[in-house]
Amino acid sequence: MGVVLFILTVAAADIVLFGFFCCCLIIVCHDSGGTTIRRLAQQRWSLLVGVTFSLLQSNRTMFLVGLTGGIASGKSTVAAVFRELGCPVIDSDRIARQIVELDSPVYWAIVHSFGEEILLEDRTINREKLGSIIFSSREKRQLLNSITHPAIHKAMLKQVFKYFIQGYRYVILDVPLLFETNKVAKFMKHTIVVYCDPQAQLTRLMKRNNLVQAEAEKRISVQMPLEQKRKLASHVIDNSGDPASTYRQVCKLHSQLEDSMDFLAVRLLAVVTLTGVGGLLYMFIKRCIF
């Protein structure tokens, strides 16, 4: 089902883009007295073939890669390396911060559900206080996810469209709860887990968030264990060692993904769809003008 939805999404993006191009073309043709459309009428197949090969060359193999990990496992570090290597990374945490900005619909939904006691003096959401609430209550955590996740997924989809049109080979979706919710994971061709040994994770979390051991262990315990995520992932980056080792692992994986031909069939299907619809639009425009 996920693959079918992705195919439809890809095809729709190409069709909308081509439709916009055709609308612009009609305006230009109208202003030039029809001379442009007559020239295109003589070269109609060259136009369609040119568009087809342009899409094949720029977008032929784009696919989605899910990146996840555990709290303080080093996921942000790995995401930064992917960015350094020129790969687009869609950060769901950053999107989550953006959608809860003051007076946004999600902001008011959270305030209505959790009360004004979670607000700071400037009326923005106190993320630390909200975090302590959801980490101590599974029901509250599910409530917050039900409010924020639809808006996050919508914003992520918009960015996927952008990178799709720009012709990237693959896009990283940085999603902390990739396997827990499974709503996004089903669209991923590959999944990456950033792993580190439990003791390193605990030590890093205590130092990073200035937590005592009991509180840090509690926050780790509410997440799916890294060992379980490791088994579910198609690729694992072991961040237990030094930064240089992690960097080498990311570079190696990036090279493998760049050389991958995944979703070539999807791109070919999208191009065929685009060419067919483009041909129908061309015939419609030609009949209307002539």
Side-chain angles (χ1 to χ4, degrees), residues 108-120:
W108 284 114
I110 292 174
V111 173
H112 177 74
S113 299
F114 291 88
E116 295 196 1
E117 58 269 20
I118 65 167
L119 300 180
L120 295 168

Side-chain angles (χ1 to χ4, degrees), residues 52-263:
T52 299
F53 277 97
S54 175
L55 283 167
L56 279 171
Q57 291 169 358
S58 62
N59 284 322
R60 65 181 181 277
T61 59
M62 177 179 151
F63 53 92
L64 303 179
V65 179
L67 174 66
T68 191
I71 186 170
S73 69
K75 179 173 60 64
S76 297
T77 299
V78 170
V81 177
F82 274 112
R83 288 193 183 93
E84 181 182 333
L85 295 172
C87 177
V89 177
I90 300 175
D91 188 343
S92 64
D93 277 343
R94 181 178 298 177
I95 293 173
R97 288 191 292 270
Q98 293 171 345
I99 64 170
V100 297
E101 290 178 350
L102 188 63
D103 287 336
S104 69
V106 176
Y107 167 90
W108 284 114
I110 292 174
V111 173
H112 177 74
S113 299
F114 291 88
E116 295 196 1
E117 58 269 20
I118 65 167
L119 300 180
L120 295 168
E121 291 183 1
D122 61 0
R123 304 291 295 174
T124 58
I125 292 176
N126 186 333
R127 294 176 60 84
E128 290 187 6
K129 188 165 187 178
L130 181 60
S132 65
I133 293 173
I134 65 171
F135 274 116
S136 60
S137 170
R138 184 170 180 268
E139 290 73 21
K140 294 292 185 181
R141 192 161 60 251
Q142 291 178 337
L143 174 60
L144 180 65
N145 290 342
S146 69
I147 295 171
T148 59
H149 283 184
I152 292 172
H153 295 162
K154 182 178 179 181
M156 291 177 73
L157 183 59
K158 289 180 180 179
Q159 293 191 35
V160 168
F161 280 153
K162 179 183 72 174
Y163 292 127
F164 173 84
I165 293 171
Q166 291 176 354
Y168 284 93
R169 180 65 59 88
Y170 72 96
V171 175
I172 297 283
L173 273 67
D174 182 345
V175 185
L177 301 179
L178 182 67
F179 294 124
E180 285 87 340
T181 62
N182 204 36
K183 290 183 179 179
V184 177
K186 60 187 176 183
F187 292 101
M188 303 299 107
K189 180 62 179 178
H190 298 271
T191 53
I192 305 169
V193 161
V194 182
Y195 174 86
C196 70
D197 64 78
Q199 185 56 49
Q201 183 184 20
L202 179 62
T203 302
R204 291 172 184 174
L205 180 58
M206 291 172 61
K207 183 178 180 180
R208 189 190 72 181
N209 290 35
N210 193 27
L211 300 173
V212 297
Q213 183 172 335
E215 181 62 26
E217 289 175 342
K218 184 177 181 180
R219 293 200 175 196
I220 291 174
S221 67
V222 301
Q223 296 187 336
M224 180 186 293
L226 274 175
E227 196 60 46
Q228 186 177 348
K229 290 186 178 183
R230 186 178 189 174
K231 295 176 182 178
L232 294 172
S234 50
H235 305 278
V236 176
I237 300 293
D238 191 339
N239 190 39
S240 302
D242 60 279
S245 174
T246 300
Y247 188 88
R248 288 193 297 270
Q249 292 177 68
V250 177
C251 289
K252 181 179 179 181
L253 179 56
H254 173 66
S255 179
Q256 293 174 359
L257 294 174
E258 278 287 296
D259 293 338
S260 172
M261 293 299 289
D262 291 324
F263 274 102

Side-chain angles (χ1 to χ4, degrees), residues 18 21 39-54 275 282:
F18 192 81
F21 165 78
R39 184 166 63 252
L40 289 177
Q42 298 169 355
Q43 302 175 351
R44 58 188 179 275
W45 292 115
S46 296
L47 173 65
L48 292 177
V49 170
V51 171
T52 299
F53 277 97
S54 175
T275 303
Y282 167 78

